[in-house]
Structure formats: C-alpha cells, structure tokens
Amino acid sequence: MKLTLRVWRQQNADADGAMSTYEVDGISPDMSFLEMLDTLNEELILKGEDPVAFDHDCREGICGACSLVINGDAHGPERTTTCQLHMRSFKDGDTIDIEPWRAAAFPVIKDLVVDRSAFDRIIQAGGYITAPTGSAPEAHATPVPKPDADFAFEHAECIGCGACVAACPNGSAMLFTSAKVNHLNVLPQGAPERESRVLDMVAQMDEEGFGGCTLTGECATACPKGIPLMSITGMNKEWLRATRKAAKR
Amino acid sequence: MARTMWDSSVGKKTVMAVSGLIMLLYLVAHMIGNLKIFFGAGEFNDYAHWLRTVGEPFMHYEWTLWLIRVVLVVAVVAHAVSAYQLSRRDIKARPSKYVHKKPRASYATRTMRWGGIILGLFIVWHILDLTTGTVHPGGFETGKPYQNILDTFSTWYGNVIYIVAMLALGLHIRHGFWSAAQTLGVGSRTRDRALKTVANVLALLLTAGFIAVPVGVMTGVVN
C-alpha cells in the first residue's frame, strides 16, 4: 500500500505546530497503525530528519498509552485503540490525517504526544479505595452481587487513554471520571469513600480545565473499551446524592 | 449546598435541567391554553381573563399570574446564566480545533446554543408584542388577546419569527428533555428508549400546537 500522511508536527509545547505531508510506500495491510508510523520514522531517521513523536507502550490495547486522532476520529475508524487498528482499514492511495488529542487540559508536548497527567490528578483525588495492605484477602470474605460485579467490571475496563476527551467537542472528561466513580462506588470496597470520591473527582476534573458534558455522546462512540454514555448519568446521580448527604451533615 | 451546586459543572447542569423542566411544564400549559383560540374570540378572551383571577378569593387579582411570572423569570435567568458560563468553560476547554473536521452529533444537539439564543430573543419579542404591546403591529388592546394575536399573525414577519422560534423550540426540547433526565441521574439503559420517545413526542406536540395558531390565522380558520 502507498499512503499519503498528513501529520501534526510541533517541536515543543511552546512552538507553533502545522500539518506536514509524507509519502509512505510498502505498507502491508497486516501492519498495525503504529507499525506504519514506525516505517515512516525509520525512513525519516535514514534521511536525517526528526522522527514523529507519538505515545505507545503495550501495543496490545490494554495500557492506554497510544492516542492519535486519525481522520478526525479518536483511535481511528475502528472501535479499538490505535495500536490495535490495522492498515487493512485503509485503502491503497488514501490520505490519512493524524493529529494529537485536542484539549486545553491535554497540552501538546511534541508532535502527537500530549500531557495526560490531568487524568492522574483526577484519580489521585478519589479514584482509589482505602484497603489494608498485605496479602490478598479471601475472595469470598466480601460478597459482591453478580450484577454489581458486572457493572463494576464494565466501568473498570477504562484504560485512561483520553479518547473521550479528544472526541468531545467540549474537551470534557466526564466519561473517564464517571467510569472510575461507577466502578468503585458500586462495590462494598469502595463504600467508605462513596461520597467524597465523586465530589472530589468532579471538583478536580473542573479544576483541570476540562469542559462540561452536553451529552453529545461522542465520548462513548470513541471509547475503545465501550464505556457506555449512561456511565455519566450514573455519576450525575452519585454526585447529587453525595451533595445532598454532605448538606445534611 | 447551593455553593457546591453553582461552583461545579455538574451542579450547574442540574440548575439547567431543573429550570428547563419548569419552563417545559409552563409551555405545556401555555400551548393547551393557546388552542382555545380555535373556539372563538369569546372563549379565548374569557380564558385570558380567568388567568388573572386564578386562586381567588385566596389570591388577589393577578397575584397567581405574577407568581408564575416571577418563577419563570428566575428559571429563564438561571438557565441562561448557567448555559453562558458552561459554554464559556466548554469553549475554553477545546481551544484548538481539529484540522480534519467531521460532522458531529445530531442536529438538535449541535443547535442547542444557537437555538437557546434564538429562543431568548424570541421571548423578549413575544412579551413586547403580546404582553406589553410595545412593538405590537396595529392597535394593542389590553384584555383582548384574540384581536392582538390576529394583528401579529397578519404580518409576514410575525409569522416568520414565531414559526422559526417554535421550530428551534422543538429541537431544543428534543435534546434538552433527554439531557435533563441524564443530568438528574434518572436515565438508565432500560428507560432510555422511553425517555427519548417522550422527548420526541413533547417536542413534536409543542411545536405543532404552537405553530397551529399562526397557521390558523394564515389559513383563515381563526379570524
């Protein structure tokens, strides 16, 4: 396959960026999108040019490191992560636009790499449980009803890649935050911080400069892990409950 | 609690949801009342007079009406201020656009902000036209709403403004009602279809019900 790539190049956080055009040849349909970019980078290095910087790690679709907005879609046309997107999703002769996640809370560091540490700070605000450390407890010591376990697991699937923020026209982190709130708030292990978790995480989310939710549904469409839009409804419910309870105290 | 509400983006959405539902409730009553225009000047003008006497003898003349007006003004202001502040935050959160643009979300969702501004301007015109009579075409007569409505819808611009605003209203309710349910946390996977249906039915009925009046005047059914 022969492709034309239009890639966002930006020297550093303060520099102005622009789209640069590259031609790549000899791309196999079995290559992953990142392998296609590796091919481009090898050519750039041979020519003595600066390779395109992009985030990646496990390349198995489980770590959440890879990003990229491909032809306007976060993680590209398939419902998966960029590392699991294969070149068979494109046609020979295609022009592909590759851009970084766009959000005020995710500043570009270089080329396609953005700083997603705002997500870490949201997690630090309440995305954990207080549990005594030591050996793993007996699994049946705390019974969890099956529907609750399933619900928690569905939301626990979030890998924190930030596709929801990238896809949202408001740069909102509601889906990411709600996934963690729903995951922990439904479980008995998460019960002690049920109220403070949602209040603190939402407050941190606002402080980081993420936008609000207008329920366009773009986040859930882009999510490679299929976190449902209703997750946001669940967090709103938890937030209102916690606000009422805090007022009574 | 009020502080937490107003300071949070989630709380401000709650303010929008509640104020929106209050306005929606009022619109249903308003639309049903409007339809009395099809039963002649007598019935319609009597109904308008009755609105001022609601709650008597407990309430004085026009007290109930003014109470409703105050609630509505509070709702409109709360809705608009929240929308303005949230929109500012949203726009700031996405400063640079994507080079590769794609059409996003449904038409109703994309037009919420502009639709809201159109509705806000419409409300101002509507009150100046048919409540105070300031910009009313022809002679405005207090206590004769039937004749006043005929004046308004006998002008081309009266019809255009009204019909455009009602179409914007339909779109606004279509996304707004369902969104309010999500914001208040009452949506769920099992209820989603029902909520979307209610939103669509409400949007359609209100738009059709309101537009029936200018269409009635234009076609001569109301004269």
Side-chain angles (χ1 to χ4, degrees), chain B residues 36-53:
Chain B
K36 292 192 178 61
I37 201 158
F38 290 101
F39 302 98
E43 181 164 344
F44 192 73
N45 288 348
D46 284 351
Y47 158 70
H49 178 73
W50 170 83
L51 282 177
R52 281 150 183 80
T53 64

Side-chain angles (χ1 to χ4, degrees), chain B residues 183-206:
Chain B
T183 302
L184 297 174
V186 295
S188 75
R189 246 170 282 201
T190 44
R191 258 182 244 153
D192 201 45
R193 251 177 104 161
L195 280 170
K196 280 198 170 121
T197 310
V198 173
N200 288 340
V201 167
L202 269 174
L204 211 65
L205 279 182
L206 283 170

Side-chain angles (χ1 to χ4, degrees), chain A residues 110-150:
Chain A
K110 185 176 163 61
D111 296 340
L112 303 169
V113 180
V114 299
D115 180 2
R116 282 173 281 188
S117 49
F119 267 13
D120 298 337
R121 290 187 291 273
I122 293 175
I123 292 295
Q124 280 164 17
Y128 52 82
I129 59 160
T130 41
T133 53
S135 59
E138 158 62 32
H140 292 295
T142 315
V144 180
K146 182 73 165 81
D148 290 357
D150 288 344

Side-chain angles (χ1 to χ4, degrees), chain B residues 3-20:
Chain B
R3 200 66 256 174
T4 336
M5 276 281 175
W6 195 248
D7 285 345
S8 168
S9 65
V10 175
K12 228 167 253 175
K13 281 283 288 190
T14 312
V15 172
M16 288 198 72
V18 172
S19 55

Side-chain angles (χ1 to χ4, degrees), chain A residues 5 24-25 27 31-46 51-57 59 68 82-83 87 98 112:
Chain A
L5 304 176
V24 281
D25 205 351
I27 299 298
M31 279 182 176
S32 77
F33 200 84
L34 298 185
E35 282 167 339
M36 184 276 293
L37 285 179
D38 292 338
T39 311
L40 169 70
N41 276 347
E42 280 168 13
E43 285 174 21
L44 289 177
I45 292 164
L46 281 176
V52 178
F54 61 91
D55 263 328
H56 62 102
D57 191 17
R59 298 205 177 195
L68 310 186
T82 296
C83 64
M87 296 315 293
I98 309 169
L112 303 169

Side-chain angles (χ1 to χ4, degrees), chain B residues 116-133:
Chain B
I117 291 168
I118 289 172
L119 288 172
L121 293 172
F122 167 77
I123 292 170
V124 173
W125 173 77
H126 192 53
I127 290 171
L128 291 178
D129 178 28
L130 290 169
T131 308
T132 64

